[in-house]
Amino acid sequence: MNEQFDLLIDSYLADNIGIAPGFLSASLSAGLQQNIIQLQKDEMMTPAGIGNDEVKDSAQKMRSDKIYWMDKKHDNIFEQEFLQHAEDFIDHLNRTCYAGINAYEFHYAVYEEGSFYKRHKDQFKNDSNRKYSLISYLNENWEKADGGQLQVYQQDSMQQISPNSQTAVLFKSDEIEHEVTIANRSRMSITGWLKIV
């Protein structure tokens, strides 16, 4: 798996946006997708807000996705496997790039049809702990007409990334502005942040 870790890191170092198809195995991606479907059935996914607990704005119009925070205490086999995979990647990142990451947080995210997230950065104004954003996509057979692309902005350029199953994207949380275009079908991912606390 170090090959996929290196691909994500090397592409990040080359362009400030790391992209690694195959970062997740097909079985893990499918299992996490089923977790989201079950969480939706159980009405456990909640509307996402803007900001952290100190400045949360639940009335915001910036985003319309739904989330559910991951936790090892959930004792879900796919969730455990994903979090271990994330820890292995962090270890590799720290060992090869001296990143100093010592904490993380991840949540399931689903963009139902018509959902979006307007242009933003991932780091809170009152908390600089988030260093890298790491997104892992879970969507099979995604087509351009399905919308839901990740659009990232650097200086005068814009790049569109399709949320294809098993693909991971890495970028600096405080530097890269990005948005999720309107999804025309249900769009699923694991979104998280690598932190220094």
Side-chain angles (χ1 to χ4, degrees):
M1 186 46 69
N2 281 359
E3 182 180 334
Q4 298 303 321
F5 292 171
D6 286 335
L7 175 60
L8 190 58
I9 293 168
D10 290 347
S11 56
Y12 163 76
L13 292 173
D15 192 39
N16 298 318
I17 309 291
I19 303 175
F23 184 80
L24 300 182
S25 68
S27 60
L28 178 55
S29 181
L32 293 166
Q33 185 183 103
Q34 288 306 309
N35 281 357
I36 289 179
I37 291 170
Q38 189 61 53
L39 287 165
Q40 288 180 290
K41 287 179 180 176
D42 295 340
E43 298 184 349
M44 300 291 287
M45 305 286 289
T46 58
I50 294 291
N52 54 13
D53 288 340
E54 291 181 25
V55 294
K56 200 169 190 82
D57 179 8
S58 57
Q60 51 76 31
K61 302 297 182 187
M62 279 283 295
R63 63 190 297 187
S64 53
D65 56 317
K66 293 182 178 179
I67 66 170
Y68 183 81
W69 289 98
M70 299 180 111
D71 193 320
K72 285 189 173 180
K73 294 175 184 175
H74 295 157
D75 201 27
N76 174 279
I77 184 172
F78 297 111
E79 200 163 326
Q80 295 277 4
E81 183 180 347
F82 175 84
L83 292 174
Q84 184 59 58
H85 191 61
E87 289 177 9
D88 291 344
F89 173 70
I90 290 168
D91 287 345
H92 189 76
L93 180 67
N94 285 340
R95 193 168 56 251
T96 58
C97 299
Y98 308 101
I101 301 302
N102 59 11
Y104 62 79
E105 57 186 356
F106 288 96
H107 62 62
Y108 298 98
V110 61
Y111 289 75
E112 296 169 344
E113 186 176 349
S115 297
F116 59 88
Y117 197 158
K118 294 180 181 178
R119 187 168 172 170
H120 67 285
K121 291 181 183 177
D122 279 350
Q123 194 175 86
F124 299 127
K125 291 180 180 178
N126 65 339
D127 182 349
S128 61
N129 288 343
R130 290 178 175 179
K131 302 305 177 185
Y132 296 93
S133 300
L134 177 62
I135 309 165
S136 299
Y137 293 113
L138 312 173
N139 308 290
E140 301 289 343
N141 305 313
W142 197 265
E143 304 287 344
K144 188 168 185 177
D146 295 328
Q149 285 83 18
L150 177 69
Q151 288 189 173
V152 292
Y153 299 89
Q154 294 193 73
Q155 294 151 355
D156 296 327
S157 69
M158 184 272 287
Q159 179 181 1
Q160 273 199 343
I161 301 168
S162 182
N164 296 318
S165 175
Q166 302 175 248
T167 297
V169 178
L170 177 76
F171 52 85
K172 285 291 289 294
S173 300
D174 65 338
E175 292 180 3
I176 300 297
E177 288 193 314
H178 56 287
E179 67 180 304
V180 177
T181 64
I182 294 173
N184 298 320
R185 58 176 265 213
S186 182
R187 174 196 190 272
M188 303 179 191
S189 64
I190 307 294
T191 298
W193 298 276
L194 313 185
K195 304 168 69 176
I196 298 177
V197 297

